[in-house]
Every structure is written in structure tokens, then in C-alpha cells.
């Protein structure tokens, strides 16, 4: 594992963007595993700038997102599909048909989970997976549990996740109580993992995940078993 400490959010975003851009340059039809939340916004902006400047071309790139709230569709400003369109996909030359987010409004959520896993497999798996980390150690929405869940699944969100994400909604009551998330199999099968984290509030959980025991109670600790992980952390 490579652990890179940087001085601020800008530097974290720039370095993360360079690592992702290198992957796109090496393999134009690579599969990007993407995350939402406040941490990757700067990374997406830097990548969009590189695309604007003609430095990278996303026209053949494919993507799969980690997760989506159950019950929120693309029209909803808080859905992760909308987040990705606004913060990234609409700013780069990716073919929107090559971008994938689980459908949190599917009639049969279990079938949707199976479809998503089959899709990732048919794409040959993820080349580089971008991850943030939740205050409870979640990656995607793999919440602390008694076991690591392998496949894409329907998950009840932890109280701490609901509270942390309430900042994006009018009130805590509006935060969906469940989500669909990619499971550990697709994440761990990614050829490369890039985790970004910023702020003092993430430091304890990050250290616990990366240097503590590997346990499903700290879902991100599974990354210790992956052979190609880069973590970029900014305390500011
Ligand atoms: C979202 C996701 C989550 C976030 C995590 C941190 O797609 O995968 O695991 O990365 O909740 O969120 P922020 O970046 O908002 O602190």
C-alpha cells in the first residue's frame, strides 16, 4: 500500500486526478469505478479541466459507480446518478451510455443487484476503483457488519451515515434509509484501488482501517488484503 500525505484538498484532488488520468491514457476503454460524496468533487473537476485542455480523452472510457440511494431517481438532485452527471459526466466527453450507476428505483431490487454484478463482470471488472471512506469505515455503502458482503446488495444505512449525509438534504428525515451498493467482490477485484480522504475527522477511522485488524466491523480494513492500493490523505 502506498500512503501519500498531502497538505490540502486541492493537492489531494490533483494527485488523484493524475492517477486516474494515467489509467485512461494507458487504456482508453478502461473501466473506472467511481464514488460520490464531497471528497471526489475536486478530483472530478481536475479531470474535467484536463479533458477540456485536450490532455485526456474519455470518449471510449466506461464507468461503474459504487452505489445509489433506494428510491431516488435521476430527476432527484440528491441521487448519485444526478451527482455524477452534474459533477463529472456532463463536463467530460464520456459517452453517457457507457456510464453505469445502480438503479435505486428498480422494481425488483434483488434482480437489479444481480444485473449490476453481471454487468461489471461483462465489462471485465474495474481497472481503477476510486473510494472515499465513511466515518464508520464504510466503502461504497458497505456498512459495518458481522461479515463482508461479496455481491452488490441492498443495505440499510447506519445511523452515522444518515447523519453524515444529512448535510446534502433539507433535513435528516429526507435521507433515504437504504441503498444499493457494490459489494466487496467487485471492489477487491479492481486491478487498482485509489482511496482519498480529507479532514481531521477521517484520520482515526482511516488509521484503524489501514493499520488495525481486518474485520467486517471496519469494512475498509479489507483493503489491507488488496495488492495495489494508493491512499491519498489530506488533514486539512
Ligand atoms: C459514495 C461512497 C461513500 C463515500 C463516503 C465518504 O459513493 O462510496 O462510501 O465515499 O461516505 O463520503 P464523503 O466524501 O462525502 O465524506
Amino acid at each position: 500500500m502506498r500512503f501519500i500525505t498531502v497538505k490540502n484538498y486541492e493537492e489531494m484532488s490533483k494527485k488523484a486526478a493524475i492517477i486516474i488520468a494515467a489509467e485512461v491514457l494507458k487504456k482508453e476503454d478502461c473501466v473506472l469505478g467511481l464514488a460520490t460524496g464531497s471528497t471526489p468533487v475536486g478530483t472530478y473537476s481536475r479531470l474535467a479541466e484536463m479533458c477540456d485542455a485536450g490532455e485526456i480523452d474519455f470518449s471510449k472510457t466506461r464507468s461503474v459507480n459504487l452505489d445509489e440511494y433506494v428510491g431516488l431517481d435521476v430527476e432527484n438532485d440528491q441521487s448519485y446518478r444526478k451527482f455524477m452527471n452534474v459533477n463529472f459526466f456532463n463536463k467530460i466527453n464520456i459517452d453517457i451510455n457507457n456510464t453505469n450507476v445502480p438503479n435505486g428505483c428498480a422494481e425488483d431490487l434483488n434482480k437489479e443487484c444481480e444485473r449490476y454484478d453481471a454487468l461489471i463482470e461483462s465489462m471485465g471488472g474495474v481497472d481503477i476503483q476510486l473510494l472515499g471512506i465513511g466515518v464508520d469505515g464504510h466503502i461504497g455503502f458497505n456498512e459495518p457488519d458481522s461479515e463482508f458482503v461479496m455481491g452488490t446488495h441492498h443495505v440499510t444505512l447506519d445511523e452515522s451515515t444518515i447523519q453524515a449525509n444529512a448535510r446534502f438534504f433539507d433535513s435528516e428525515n429526507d435521507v433515504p434509509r437504504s441503498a444499493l451498493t457494490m459489494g466487496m467482490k467487485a471492489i477487491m477485484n479492481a486491478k487498482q484501488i485509489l482511496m482519498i480522504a480529507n479532514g481531521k475527522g477521517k484520520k482515526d477511522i482511516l488509521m484503524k482501517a489501514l493499520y488495525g485488524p481486518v474485520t467486517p466491523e471496519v469494512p475498509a480494513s479489507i483493503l489491507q488484503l488488496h495488492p495495489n492500493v494508493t491512499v491519498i490523505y489530506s488533514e486539512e
Side-chain angles (χ1 to χ4, degrees):
M1 182 184 59
R2 284 171 296 279
F3 192 97
I4 304 171
T5 309
V6 294
K7 59 175 187 304
N8 56 31
Y9 181 82
E10 275 310 301
E11 209 186 314
M12 178 194 76
S13 305
K14 201 168 155 188
K15 283 200 162 49
I18 290 169
I19 292 172
I20 295 169
E23 193 60 38
V24 177
L25 285 171
K26 271 194 296 189
K27 186 179 173 190
E28 57 180 5
D29 64 344
C30 71
V31 177
L32 302 178
L34 300 174
T36 58
S38 44
T39 316
V41 172
T43 304
Y44 294 146
S45 300
R46 295 291 84 70
L47 284 167
E49 282 165 18
M50 288 183 208
C51 185
D52 256 0
E55 291 164 2
I56 36 171
D57 175 12
F58 289 97
S59 60
K60 299 208 168 58
T61 306
R62 299 166 293 157
S63 74
V64 281
N65 259 79
L66 283 165
D67 41 20
E68 178 61 281
Y69 288 117
V70 165
L72 303 194
D73 65 14
V74 62
E75 304 305 330
N76 191 305
D77 284 345
Q78 300 312 328
S79 74
Y80 284 170
R81 166 48 87 178
K82 183 75 170 271
F83 173 99
M84 290 308 299
N85 289 353
V86 170
N87 287 289
F88 196 35
F89 300 147
N90 292 347
K91 296 181 177 173
I92 59 172
N93 66 336
I94 199 165
D95 178 349
I96 201 78
N97 296 314
N98 286 336
T99 69
N100 299 281
V101 180
N103 178 5
C105 290
E107 226 168 82
D108 185 332
L109 294 173
N110 289 331
K111 273 216 178 93
E112 172 59 9
C113 293
E114 283 168 23
R115 181 196 72 83
Y116 207 65
D117 280 336
L119 173 79
I120 296 168
E121 211 167 309
S122 74
M123 292 165 93
V126 172
D127 288 295
I128 181 165
Q129 178 65 57
L130 179 64
L131 295 174
I133 183 168
V135 283
D136 62 357
H138 70 217
I139 48 177
F141 273 139
N142 289 275
E143 296 284 30
D145 204 341
S146 52
E147 58 181 352
F148 291 115
V149 183
M150 289 300 139
T152 298
H153 56 286
H154 183 195
V155 63
T156 302
L157 298 177
D158 268 22
E159 207 39 53
S160 64
T161 302
I162 291 168
Q163 278 167 19
N165 289 3
R167 67 192 193 279
F168 300 112
F169 292 81
D170 289 338
S171 84
E172 201 175 304
N173 282 340
D174 295 330
V175 184
R177 267 36 192 175
S178 72
L180 298 186
T181 183
M182 199 189 269
M184 293 305 193
K185 185 174 171 205
I187 294 174
M188 289 299 282
N189 277 344
K191 295 175 190 73
Q192 192 185 160
I193 305 263
L194 173 60
M195 171 172 271
I196 51 176
N198 77 289
K200 283 198 174 70
K202 293 280 175 78
K203 193 170 183 180
D204 285 353
I205 191 63
L206 194 61
M207 293 304 139
K208 212 168 152 185
L210 302 178
Y211 302 108
V214 175
T215 162
E217 280 158 28
V218 183
S221 65
I222 200 172
L223 300 177
Q224 293 181 41
L225 306 177
H226 192 285
N228 188 357
V229 179
T230 303
V231 179
I232 309 178
Y233 173 65
S234 152
E235 197 165 287
E236 223 174 74

